Amino acid sequence: MGKRPTIRDVALRAGVSVATASNVVNGNRPVGEASRRNVVAAIEALGYRLDRAASALRGQSTRLVGMVVPDINNVFFAGLVDRVEREAERDGYDLLIASSSEDPAVERRRVEALIARRIDGLVVVPARDDSLRSLKGDDRPRLPPIVLLDRGTESAGFDTVRADCEAGGYAAARHLIGFGHRDIAVLAHSEHYQNIAQRIAGCRRALCEAGLEGRERVVCGGHNLESLRGAIEIELHRADRPTAIFALTNICALAAIKAARGLGLEIPGDVSIVGFDDFDWMFALRPYLTTVAQPVDDFASSSWGLLMRRLSGDAADAENIELPCALKVRESTGPARSRLKAVVEAHL
Amino acid sequence: MGKRPTIRDVALRAGVSVATASNVVNGNRPVGEASRRNVVAAIEALGYRLDRAASALRGQSTRLVGMVVPDINNVFFAGLVDRVEREAERDGYDLLIASSSEDPAVERRRVEALIARRIDGLVVVPARDDSLRSLKGDDRPRLPPIVLLDRGTESAGFDTVRADCEAGGYAAARHLIGFGHRDIAVLAHSEHYQNIAQRIAGCRRALCEAGLEGRERVVCGGHNLESLRGAIEIELHRADRPTAIFALTNICALAAIKAARGLGLEIPGDVSIVGFDDFDWMFALRPYLTTVAQPVDDFASSSWGLLMRRLSGDAADAENIELPCALKVRESTGPARSRLKAVVEAHL
DNA sequence: GTGAAAGCGCTAACAT
DNA sequence: ATGTTAGCGCTTTCAC
């Protein structure tokens, strides 16, 4: 029940210097076979464990990586954290996690706190596209490599990983248009995110191609489920209500479903819904949601790969990876009924 | 663009000693008003930030807390992480997170890794009830305070926080019995967790009281959604299939819904389902799930409170907190139809 | 290949 | 209330 053994104890017991002991622990320099075996034996016997707090101070790596997400409670971000944690563990890194609550000020604080821990690198889903730009601007010494995930513009000089949201939006809108929909509501938390803007842009492109320019109505309802529901409900209440909703995030899709249900509208009979993001529990939604799936696994492995590349000293220009989305056609979308016909049917 | 300023630089610029500078940074000892202002000004001017890697090494606190969960991807655990992270941030701690993938061996490794980081404390949802017992047994020096959350037995000497699962199980079963259900399937990932066992025990108590002793059938299907679905599907296929399912976790509930739907069974017409855990997106499930809600917020604040108490030096006996569940009656449960009657109706 | 020694930046004694 | 100093446990020159 003594104190925890230090590397000095190991060296002493193995009859070598601390330098040699250190070198066998973290293979920085070659060590003779005899010494190595003695050291390994001593480590075993003493139950020695490297004190990372100390090696962090002296060495140049902490084997600690930070991750900041807007809201871990959101299944999409939770999935990202889960995947990145796996990558990190595989490579012997620990993951320091922080949530920004979608607030750039909180985010800034959290990022600073992580940097104060001397993390080797940072994966961030920023609260705003440019919320980390000021970091880069400062002539800050020792800013660790940062990769922006999902959100964030290419311009700020960070490595980025995101989905090809324009194509995703385009595919979803084409699908809806193919069913004859002409009045499409686009539900988002805000237009002021590059990924959201691109989803909208893709949607617009499809509409234009079909000669339906300007027929989309963009509805923004914030990050809150209830406020989103309220926002889309207003549209659904109108006489010329949309026959389809393109919900731009998983929360938006839930809000759209709730609003439609609350108003007694059938999905997809009265209103079609296509969502964004895909989760295995979604089959339990009735109807099973047609959605644009983002490549969550690739998000994690790509961002991790980018980070590791920087950590291994690569000083190339910022890289911007764009990954494809996939439209999953399921049950929540169908042919548009004319509203007039719908009214007549309702009175039968 | 020089190196990062150290506390020495601050002290120099403020015209005080490093000790004084340190004391204003982390208020360990009182400092005169004049000095304090000088130091604060110097910090501001230099853009100084405390290097936690260094203070971790020297001091006795790292202001770092670890959290280990079986699977962050599970919304229930993600919610826990989210809440604990909030508590931690409020108190100036950072959260080091790890996922055990429901594997005690992985968990052990992760816990050891966290301890090697000199974390101040640990919140763990253990992979097995007793997977951390061996830790306590070892005559390990400097084992940090650990609180077990959700799972884990009281016997191992750790502080614990969990729900009153027996009462939750009892309430759910009573509800089902009140609707006339006599054949109830209980779907769980495994019986070998104390919290699950208690949910089953509560269920049994209700059944006994109603003179229905032994009428429950416990079905275990592992942690995987599909394997759970397969397991309950078998029950649903039998001629004497249950008229109600009590799903003991949120994954189990999803699996039950999927199985019932796959077999074309109406919920609750053909089979009632009551779940466990409650999330705001569940309203999107049709029907809206009747469920036993666990007090997630209290889980987090209680476990955090316990941890902070230990960190402030309290050496009392292990405390075991039990929090109440709440049955939320919604749409997925209803009167039992006799199977015979159901068959007749089906042929009309 | 190996060892001796110098700190990393900070906090905690111990002085004053 | 403030200053001086000795390390925390480790990695890393720099010798040999």
Side-chain angles (χ1 to χ4, degrees):
Chain A
M1 181 62 191
K3 295 181 46 180
R4 202 163 132 165
T6 76
I7 197 158
R8 220 180 222 74
D9 301 324
V10 171
L12 205 66
R13 173 152 184 152
V16 299
S17 74
V18 289
T20 303
S22 170
N23 286 330
V24 11
V25 171
N26 48 59
N28 274 352
R29 311 169 62 76
V31 171
E33 187 47 35
S35 307
R36 129 159 290 113
R37 261 205 321 254
N38 284 336
V39 171
V40 170
I43 288 175
E44 196 69 28
L46 263 28
Y48 169 78
R49 302 205 126 273
L50 175 63
D51 183 335
R52 293 211 169 274
S55 62
L57 181 58
R58 195 56 177 85
Q60 51 234 350
S61 161
T62 53
R63 302 225 71 124
L64 202 55
V65 162
M67 182 162 185
V68 182
V69 294
D71 178 12
I72 325 174
N73 226 11
N74 182 319
V75 283
F76 178 67
F77 300 129
L80 254 20
V81 169
D82 180 49
R83 303 322 194 279
V84 169
E85 203 265 341
R86 277 176 219 277
E87 301 273 334
E89 129 110 298
R90 175 171 47 69
D91 291 353
Y93 284 80
D94 288 330
L95 226 213
L96 211 33
I97 192 174
S99 176
S100 67
S101 305
E102 299 279 6
D103 180 340
V106 174
E107 176 179 84
R108 180 61 186 252
R109 262 198 349 254
R110 307 301 283 134
V111 168
E112 293 285 2
L114 295 180
I115 291 175
R117 294 261 179 218
R118 294 199 181 188
I119 47 165
D120 288 347
L122 204 45
V123 177
V124 183
V125 179
R128 299 279 182 279
D129 285 324
D130 60 353
S131 56
L132 293 184
R133 177 144 42 186
S134 55
L135 263 187
K136 205 76 177 187
D138 289 356
D139 52 358
R140 293 176 108 278
R142 283 235 305 264
L143 188 66
I146 299 180
V147 8
L148 266 28
L149 186 51
D150 182 39
R151 300 177 183 171
T153 58
E154 304 177 3
S155 57
F158 295 105
D159 288 326
T160 63
V161 175
R162 75 166 72 85
D164 183 353
C165 288
E166 208 274 345
Y170 179 76
R174 286 272 304 193
H175 173 64
L176 255 13
I177 293 166
F179 271 134
H181 293 281
R182 295 294 174 265
D183 292 287
I184 299 175
V186 176
L187 181 60
H189 44 91
S190 156
E191 291 184 80
H192 302 114
Y193 292 87
Q194 179 167 298
N195 56 357
I196 298 300
Q198 290 193 335
R199 291 168 203 185
I200 296 172
C203 187
R204 290 211 166 105
R205 178 159 64 91
L207 253 12
C208 280
E209 283 184 12
L212 264 18
E213 196 156 355
R215 290 299 285 269
E216 84 285 354
R217 304 176 225 176
V218 177
V219 179
C220 294
H223 291 286
N224 185 276
L225 183 59
E226 279 309 308
S227 63
L228 281 161
R229 200 208 79 235
I232 192 65
E233 212 168 61
I234 292 172
E235 289 302 313
L236 255 18
H237 257 309
R238 300 166 50 150
D240 62 337
R241 64 170 168 75
T243 62
I245 299 173
F246 181 18
L248 265 30
T249 70
N250 67 85
I251 310 277
C252 293
L254 259 12
I257 293 173
K258 185 168 191 177
R261 173 162 313 163
L263 264 29
L265 297 174
E266 288 295 319
I267 307 169
D270 296 313
V271 58
S272 284
I273 297 180
V274 16
F276 225 93
D277 300 332
D278 192 29
F279 304 98
D280 59 0
W281 49 265
M282 280 191 171
F283 67 82
L285 261 37
R286 175 162 290 170
Y288 194 7
L289 189 70
T290 293
T291 196
V292 179
Q294 297 196 78
V296 178
D297 286 310
D298 293 344
F299 269 25
S301 57
S302 295
S303 55
W304 187 257
L306 246 27
L307 197 57
M308 287 303 106
R309 192 159 69 76
R310 292 288 172 205
L311 293 192
S312 64
D314 190 325
D317 282 352
E319 189 169 332
N320 303 288
I321 296 181
E322 199 168 61
L323 272 9
C325 295
L327 177 67
K328 308 274 188 184
V329 176
R330 272 139 18 178
E331 310 165 350
S332 68
T333 46
R337 281 196 293 184
S338 84
R339 279 184 302 275
L340 191 60
K341 197 164 142 220
V343 169
V344 173
E345 283 174 14
H347 283 272
L348 290 182
Chain B
M1 183 61 193
K3 295 182 47 182
R4 199 163 135 167
T6 76
I7 197 155
R8 221 179 222 74
D9 300 323
V10 172
L12 205 65
R13 172 151 184 152
V16 299
S17 73
V18 288
T20 303
S22 170
N23 286 331
V24 9
V25 170
N26 49 58
N28 275 353
R29 312 171 62 78
V31 171
E33 188 47 35
S35 308
R36 130 160 289 114
R37 261 205 320 254
N38 284 336
V39 171
V40 170
I43 288 175
E44 196 68 29
L46 264 28
Y48 168 79
R49 301 207 127 271
L50 176 63
D51 183 335
R52 293 209 170 273
S55 62
L57 182 57
R58 194 56 178 87
Q60 52 234 349
S61 160
T62 53
R63 300 220 73 111
L64 201 56
V65 162
M67 182 161 185
V68 182
V69 294
D71 178 12
I72 325 173
N73 224 13
N74 180 319
V75 283
F76 178 67
F77 300 128
L80 254 20
V81 169
D82 180 48
R83 308 311 200 284
V84 169
E85 203 265 340
R86 276 176 220 277
E87 302 273 334
E89 128 109 299
R90 175 170 48 68
D91 291 354
Y93 284 81
D94 287 330
L95 226 212
L96 210 34
I97 189 176
S99 175
S100 67
S101 305
E102 299 279 6
D103 180 339
V106 175
E107 177 179 83
R108 180 60 186 253
R109 262 197 351 254
R110 307 301 282 134
V111 167
E112 294 284 3
L114 296 180
I115 292 176
R117 294 262 180 219
R118 294 200 183 187
I119 48 165
D120 288 346
L122 204 45
V123 177
V124 183
V125 179
R128 299 278 181 280
D129 286 325
D130 58 353
S131 57
L132 293 184
R133 177 143 43 186
S134 55
L135 263 188
K136 206 77 175 186
D138 291 356
D139 50 358
R140 293 176 108 279
R142 282 234 306 263
L143 187 66
I146 298 179
V147 6
L148 265 28
L149 186 51
D150 184 38
R151 301 176 182 172
T153 57
E154 304 178 1
S155 57
F158 294 104
D159 288 327
T160 63
V161 175
R162 74 166 73 85
D164 182 354
C165 288
E166 207 274 345
Y170 179 77
R174 286 273 304 192
H175 173 64
L176 254 15
I177 293 166
F179 270 135
H181 293 283
R182 296 294 173 264
D183 291 287
I184 300 175
V186 176
L187 181 60
H189 43 91
S190 156
E191 292 185 79
H192 303 113
Y193 291 88
Q194 179 167 300
N195 57 356
I196 298 301
Q198 291 193 335
R199 291 168 203 186
I200 297 173
C203 188
R204 290 212 166 104
R205 177 159 64 92
L207 252 13
C208 280
E209 283 183 13
L212 264 18
E213 196 155 354
R215 290 299 287 268
E216 84 285 353
R217 304 178 224 175
V218 177
V219 179
C220 294
H223 291 287
N224 185 276
L225 183 59
E226 278 309 308
S227 63
L228 281 161
R229 202 208 77 235
I232 192 64
E233 212 168 59
I234 291 173
E235 290 301 312
L236 256 17
H237 256 310
R238 298 166 51 148
D240 61 337
R241 65 170 168 75
T243 62
I245 300 172
F246 181 18
L248 265 29
T249 71
N250 66 86
I251 310 276
C252 294
L254 259 12
I257 293 173
K258 185 169 192 178
R261 172 162 314 163
L263 264 28
L265 298 173
E266 288 294 319
I267 307 169
D270 297 312
V271 58
S272 284
I273 297 180
V274 18
F276 225 93
D277 301 331
D278 192 28
F279 304 98
D280 60 359
W281 49 265
M282 280 192 171
F283 66 82
L285 261 37
R286 176 164 287 171
Y288 195 7
L289 190 70
T290 293
T291 196
V292 180
Q294 297 195 79
V296 178
D297 286 309
D298 293 345
F299 268 25
S301 57
S302 295
S303 54
W304 187 256
L306 246 27
L307 196 58
M308 287 303 107
R309 192 158 69 75
R310 293 287 171 205
L311 293 192
S312 65
D314 190 324
D317 283 351
E319 189 169 333
N320 303 289
I321 297 181
E322 200 168 60
L323 272 7
C325 295
L327 177 69
K328 308 274 188 184
V329 177
R330 280 165 336 201
E331 310 165 352
S332 67
T333 45
R337 282 196 293 185
S338 81
R339 278 186 302 274
L340 191 61
K341 197 164 141 220
V343 168
V344 173
E345 284 175 13
H347 282 271
L348 291 182

Short mmCIF file of all heavy atoms in Angstrom, two decimals, chain A residues 283-304:
data_model
loop_
_atom_site.label_atom_id
_atom_site.label_comp_id
_atom_site.label_asym_id
_atom_site.label_seq_id
_atom_site.Cartn_x
_atom_site.Cartn_y
_atom_site.Cartn_z
N PHE A 283 -36.92 3.16 -37.65
CA PHE A 283 -37.93 2.26 -38.18
C PHE A 283 -39.16 2.27 -37.28
O PHE A 283 -40.25 1.93 -37.68
CB PHE A 283 -37.38 0.84 -38.27
CG PHE A 283 -37.12 0.30 -36.92
CD1 PHE A 283 -38.16 -0.24 -36.18
CD2 PHE A 283 -35.86 0.37 -36.37
CE1 PHE A 283 -37.93 -0.70 -34.90
CE2 PHE A 283 -35.64 -0.08 -35.09
CZ PHE A 283 -36.67 -0.61 -34.35
N ALA A 284 -38.95 2.62 -36.00
CA ALA A 284 -40.07 2.61 -35.06
C ALA A 284 -41.01 3.79 -35.29
O ALA A 284 -42.13 3.81 -34.79
CB ALA A 284 -39.55 2.63 -33.63
N LEU A 285 -40.55 4.74 -36.07
CA LEU A 285 -41.42 5.85 -36.43
C LEU A 285 -42.43 5.33 -37.45
O LEU A 285 -42.08 4.56 -38.33
CB LEU A 285 -40.58 6.96 -37.11
CG LEU A 285 -40.13 8.16 -36.32
CD1 LEU A 285 -39.77 7.78 -34.89
CD2 LEU A 285 -38.94 8.82 -36.99
N ARG A 286 -43.65 5.74 -37.30
CA ARG A 286 -44.62 5.35 -38.32
C ARG A 286 -45.12 6.60 -38.96
O ARG A 286 -45.65 7.45 -38.27
CB ARG A 286 -45.76 4.55 -37.71
CG ARG A 286 -46.85 4.23 -38.73
CD ARG A 286 -47.73 3.12 -38.27
NE ARG A 286 -47.04 1.84 -38.26
CZ ARG A 286 -47.56 0.73 -37.70
NH1 ARG A 286 -48.72 0.78 -37.10
NH2 ARG A 286 -46.89 -0.38 -37.74
N PRO A 287 -45.04 6.82 -40.22
CA PRO A 287 -44.38 5.90 -41.14
C PRO A 287 -42.85 6.00 -41.03
O PRO A 287 -42.32 6.97 -40.51
CB PRO A 287 -44.84 6.42 -42.50
CG PRO A 287 -45.01 7.89 -42.28
CD PRO A 287 -45.55 8.03 -40.90
N TYR A 288 -42.20 4.98 -41.52
CA TYR A 288 -40.75 4.92 -41.52
C TYR A 288 -40.25 6.08 -42.40
O TYR A 288 -40.64 6.22 -43.55
CB TYR A 288 -40.34 3.57 -42.09
CG TYR A 288 -38.88 3.19 -41.85
CD1 TYR A 288 -38.03 3.93 -41.06
CD2 TYR A 288 -38.38 2.03 -42.45
CE1 TYR A 288 -36.72 3.55 -40.86
CE2 TYR A 288 -37.06 1.64 -42.26
CZ TYR A 288 -36.23 2.41 -41.46
OH TYR A 288 -34.93 2.03 -41.28
N LEU A 289 -39.40 6.87 -41.84
CA LEU A 289 -39.02 8.13 -42.47
C LEU A 289 -38.13 8.01 -43.71
O LEU A 289 -37.07 7.39 -43.68
CB LEU A 289 -38.31 8.99 -41.43
CG LEU A 289 -38.00 10.45 -41.79
CD1 LEU A 289 -39.27 11.26 -41.85
CD2 LEU A 289 -37.03 11.04 -40.79
N THR A 290 -38.56 8.62 -44.78
CA THR A 290 -37.69 8.81 -45.94
C THR A 290 -36.69 9.89 -45.54
O THR A 290 -37.07 10.92 -44.99
CB THR A 290 -38.50 9.30 -47.15
OG1 THR A 290 -39.39 8.27 -47.57
CG2 THR A 290 -37.57 9.66 -48.31
N THR A 291 -35.42 9.64 -45.79
CA THR A 291 -34.44 10.58 -45.24
C THR A 291 -33.13 10.61 -46.03
O THR A 291 -32.84 9.69 -46.80
CB THR A 291 -34.14 10.22 -43.76
OG1 THR A 291 -33.50 11.31 -43.13
CG2 THR A 291 -33.26 8.99 -43.67
N VAL A 292 -32.39 11.68 -45.83
CA VAL A 292 -31.07 11.79 -46.44
C VAL A 292 -30.05 11.40 -45.36
O VAL A 292 -29.88 12.11 -44.38
CB VAL A 292 -30.79 13.23 -46.92
CG1 VAL A 292 -29.40 13.32 -47.53
CG2 VAL A 292 -31.85 13.67 -47.92
N ALA A 293 -29.41 10.26 -45.56
CA ALA A 293 -28.48 9.76 -44.55
C ALA A 293 -27.10 10.36 -44.75
O ALA A 293 -26.59 10.42 -45.87
CB ALA A 293 -28.41 8.24 -44.62
N GLN A 294 -26.49 10.78 -43.65
CA GLN A 294 -25.12 11.27 -43.72
C GLN A 294 -24.18 10.14 -43.30
O GLN A 294 -24.53 9.32 -42.46
CB GLN A 294 -24.93 12.47 -42.80
CG GLN A 294 -25.78 13.66 -43.19
CD GLN A 294 -25.30 14.94 -42.52
OE1 GLN A 294 -24.32 15.53 -42.94
NE2 GLN A 294 -25.99 15.36 -41.48
N PRO A 295 -23.00 10.10 -43.86
CA PRO A 295 -22.05 9.02 -43.58
C PRO A 295 -21.32 9.24 -42.26
O PRO A 295 -20.16 9.66 -42.25
CB PRO A 295 -21.09 9.09 -44.76
CG PRO A 295 -21.12 10.53 -45.16
CD PRO A 295 -22.49 11.05 -44.87
N VAL A 296 -22.00 8.93 -41.18
CA VAL A 296 -21.46 9.22 -39.85
C VAL A 296 -20.11 8.54 -39.59
O VAL A 296 -19.18 9.15 -39.06
CB VAL A 296 -22.47 8.81 -38.76
CG1 VAL A 296 -21.90 9.06 -37.39
CG2 VAL A 296 -23.76 9.59 -38.94
N ASP A 297 -20.01 7.28 -39.98
CA ASP A 297 -18.75 6.58 -39.76
C ASP A 297 -17.60 7.25 -40.50
O ASP A 297 -16.51 7.42 -39.96
CB ASP A 297 -18.86 5.12 -40.22
CG ASP A 297 -19.68 4.30 -39.25
OD1 ASP A 297 -19.41 4.36 -38.04
OD2 ASP A 297 -20.61 3.62 -39.70
N ASP A 298 -17.87 7.64 -41.73
CA ASP A 298 -16.83 8.29 -42.53
C ASP A 298 -16.49 9.67 -41.97
O ASP A 298 -15.35 10.11 -42.05
CB ASP A 298 -17.27 8.42 -43.99
CG ASP A 298 -17.39 7.05 -44.65
OD1 ASP A 298 -16.86 6.08 -44.09
OD2 ASP A 298 -18.02 6.97 -45.71
N PHE A 299 -17.50 10.33 -41.41
CA PHE A 299 -17.23 11.61 -40.75
C PHE A 299 -16.14 11.41 -39.71
O PHE A 299 -15.16 12.15 -39.65
CB PHE A 299 -18.49 12.11 -40.04
CG PHE A 299 -19.36 13.00 -40.87
CD1 PHE A 299 -19.33 12.93 -42.26
CD2 PHE A 299 -20.22 13.92 -40.27
CE1 PHE A 299 -20.14 13.76 -43.02
CE2 PHE A 299 -21.02 14.75 -41.03
CZ PHE A 299 -20.98 14.67 -42.40
N ALA A 300 -16.36 10.40 -38.88
CA ALA A 300 -15.43 10.16 -37.78
C ALA A 300 -14.06 9.73 -38.29
O ALA A 300 -13.03 10.30 -37.90
CB ALA A 300 -15.99 9.11 -36.84
N SER A 301 -14.03 8.76 -39.19
CA SER A 301 -12.73 8.25 -39.61
C SER A 301 -11.97 9.30 -40.42
O SER A 301 -10.76 9.43 -40.30
CB SER A 301 -12.87 6.94 -40.37
OG SER A 301 -13.70 7.11 -41.48
N SER A 302 -12.68 10.07 -41.23
CA SER A 302 -12.00 11.10 -42.01
C SER A 302 -11.43 12.20 -41.12
O SER A 302 -10.29 12.63 -41.30
CB SER A 302 -12.96 11.73 -43.02
OG SER A 302 -13.37 10.78 -43.97
N SER A 303 -12.22 12.64 -40.16
CA SER A 303 -11.73 13.72 -39.32
C SER A 303 -10.57 13.23 -38.46
O SER A 303 -9.59 13.94 -38.25
CB SER A 303 -12.85 14.30 -38.45
OG SER A 303 -13.47 13.28 -37.71
N TRP A 304 -10.69 12.01 -38.00
CA TRP A 304 -9.59 11.46 -37.21
C TRP A 304 -8.34 11.31 -38.05
O TRP A 304 -7.23 11.64 -37.61
CB TRP A 304 -9.99 10.11 -36.61
CG TRP A 304 -8.96 9.60 -35.66
CD1 TRP A 304 -8.04 8.62 -35.88
CD2 TRP A 304 -8.72 10.10 -34.35
NE1 TRP A 304 -7.25 8.47 -34.78
CE2 TRP A 304 -7.63 9.37 -33.82
CE3 TRP A 304 -9.31 11.10 -33.57
CZ2 TRP A 304 -7.13 9.60 -32.55
CZ3 TRP A 304 -8.81 11.33 -32.30
CH2 TRP A 304 -7.73 10.60 -31.80
#
